[in-house]
Amino acid sequence: MAYRNLLHFIECLEKNGELSRITEPVSPHLEIAEITDRITKSQGKALLFENTGKEFPLLINAFGSEKRMCLALGISSFDIINQRIDDIFTKLTATRNTIFDKLKIIPLLQQFSQWMPKMHKGRGACQEVVMETPDLNRLPVLTCWKHDGGPFITLPVVHTLDPENGSRNVGMYRMQVFSDNTTGMHWHLHKNSAMHFHKYKKSGKRMPITVTLGGDPIYTYAATAPLPESIDEYLFAGFLRQKPIEMVKSLTNDIYIPSDVDFVIEGYADPYEELVLEGPFGDHTGFYSLPDFYPRFHVTCITHRKNAVYPATIVGIPPQEDAWLGMATEKIFLKLIQYAMLPEVVDMHMPFEGVFHNLVLLKISKAFAGHALKVMNALWGAGQMMFNKIMIVVDEQVDIHNYFRVLETVAKNTDPQTDLFFSKGPSDVLDHASRKFALGGKIGIDATRKFAGENGETLTESEVPININAFLEFLPPLTKINTDYVADGHLLITSLNKIYSSQIHTTINFLYQKNLLQGIRYWVLIDEVLFNNEISDIVWQVGNNIDPSFDCKIIHNILVIDGTKKTKSSNNMTRPWPNIIVADNETIQMVDNKWQSLGLGKFIPSPSLRYMHLIVGYGAVAEEN
């Protein structure tokens, strides 16, 4: 189903028991984020804050479960969209030997045309109210975390046009509010809108931009979807809705936007204006993204519909609401990958602990030697998959949603000398572990059964158990050893109090000389403060903390993964290392005190309490004392 507007979606959430209304006054400055973090991590409902201290209510966590994600897409399950994709590609790829067979494609082409957005003259509901003086301070913009550089618009749908061919890009880029009519525009260098910006700079013209908030939730999802450049986001939204998106022109530029959105923020960026320092911001990686220079967005007009609702989200240590947006992308784009690129891919999973791109698990129907490597290389060259750091490929009988099964398969089926593949390429600009900005390493692990020519079909199982007591006796810095996830003794997770850059090599060589490395194929080293035996936290931290080019080394036929934090003294790290994201004690106490009046049921303690011990120093940068 399509939603008439955001209020219609809110009604649907409430009808399905998926909404909590909060009438108690709650501040957009830190408080809403802390409440939402507790609800999100406990798999709670969407939240409608009706008393924000501003004139508009705020909706958050609207996508924060599989059920709500399906409601947002207007479906009962992701299988419905997958079936639509199956139907389309079956018809497109059918053999057409006769003229009558060829004529059968005409209805399909007509169907495509019916999904194209429709442009209308005049104003839409989104322009019912025009602010006499555009003022962003009238909106309940969130300041989410203590060390954020200020309030950020977190669910903006940003519209730009290519000045050379007029093609539209719709993306989602956070916007730090600097004043009542200026913000930052945090588009990364790999994004289409950033490319548009550089083209405007060549032309010597200002870049028009229109930002929308709210409306049918399909717009928010379409803005986050990793579509090819040639696919218009509103065509994709029309396909998901099975009807065209109704569009009207912005009041002060030529950019068309959906007529039913709640807010429209129009303005421009001047490519010749000095860039502005934006950030820090508590990001989806669970770490702060540190200040950097981005374009300044000048607001010239704000309109909104009557009874507008301000939509927002928070990001931080996973899982957060964005995990479910990622799940939808995983389910939908798997089908597109199968049809357009790699039919041998049976399943794909991007665990939320891997923050979308750090870790990808693939199940393939293997047919020949080197098949897994072919899949890895194809995906590392495909769109946003270029940001992936760790890719694990298994056979089709392995359940890639069972993490222990995946670890067991990797430990049993791989030889670090022959089944690991290292590459290098673009990295996410938020990746703090890459030694160079936006450029880092990748590791592929082929855990499939081996064919002839793939350096042996079986691995010799070690009969020598790991001598844990000897580890602790000889190496006091290895203060803790995790045996919960050891697969047949081949995988070891230990903590390490790392002091100097060559310490890991020294440690491995020492153990080798003592004959204590038998049976180990993979050794993951983490900071002692992380040692809580929770595989979810370990995967999250290690995925964020490694650049495979530097931090994954094969030593004495063991893949050693250095998942510890990096400093100048311990790893010659020249880039600043960010802190993880937690709420401050004052905000936690404030929410504790008012919890009973919020009407959210049983008290939920702050998730930040679990991670306080990981903080280093006092700010967004993890500075050693």
Side-chain angles (χ1 to χ4, degrees), residues 353-360 387-391 540 543-544:
E353 296 91 344
V355 297
F356 303 125
H357 47 72
N358 284 345
L359 175 63
V360 174
F387 300 136
N388 169 250
K389 291 203 282 188
I390 307 167
M391 190 174 293
W540 161 59
N544 275 298

Side-chain angles (χ1 to χ4, degrees), residues 134-166:
D135 185 359
L136 294 168
N137 294 320
R138 291 174 59 182
L139 309 183
V141 182
L142 295 181
T143 300
C144 300
W145 306 103
K146 179 180 180 180
H147 300 302
D148 281 358
F152 284 82
I153 300 173
T154 54
L155 274 183
V157 177
V158 180
H159 303 69
T160 62
L161 300 176
D162 187 315
E164 296 176 356
N165 58 31

Side-chain angles (χ1 to χ4, degrees), residues 125-138:
C126 61
Q127 297 156 332
E128 289 175 327
V129 180
V130 181
M131 287 190 187
E132 292 185 10
T133 302
D135 185 359
L136 294 168
N137 294 320
R138 291 174 59 182

Side-chain angles (χ1 to χ4, degrees), residues 403-442:
Y403 300 154
F404 182 82
R405 183 76 177 94
V406 172
L407 286 174
E408 185 180 50
T409 301
V410 168
K412 284 184 175 182
N413 284 11
T414 62
D415 182 339
Q417 290 284 11
T418 59
D419 300 322
L420 306 184
F421 304 95
F422 291 89
S423 185
K424 194 173 185 179
S427 63
D428 194 315
V429 300
L430 303 179
D431 182 11
H432 59 262
S434 59
R435 299 309 195 271
K436 293 184 179 180
F437 176 73
L439 180 65
K442 307 174 188 304

Side-chain angles (χ1 to χ4, degrees), residues 521-533:
R521 291 185 187 139
Y522 295 89
W523 188 352
V524 180
L525 294 149
I526 59 177
D527 293 308
E528 184 176 354
V529 291
L530 182 65
F531 215 94
N532 59 10
N533 287 343

Side-chain angles (χ1 to χ4, degrees), residues 216-237:
D216 189 326
I218 203 70
Y219 312 142
T220 298
Y221 176 67
T224 69
L227 294 168
E229 290 183 32
S230 58
I231 303 297
D232 182 87
E233 284 80 7
Y234 289 122
L235 171 61
F236 179 59

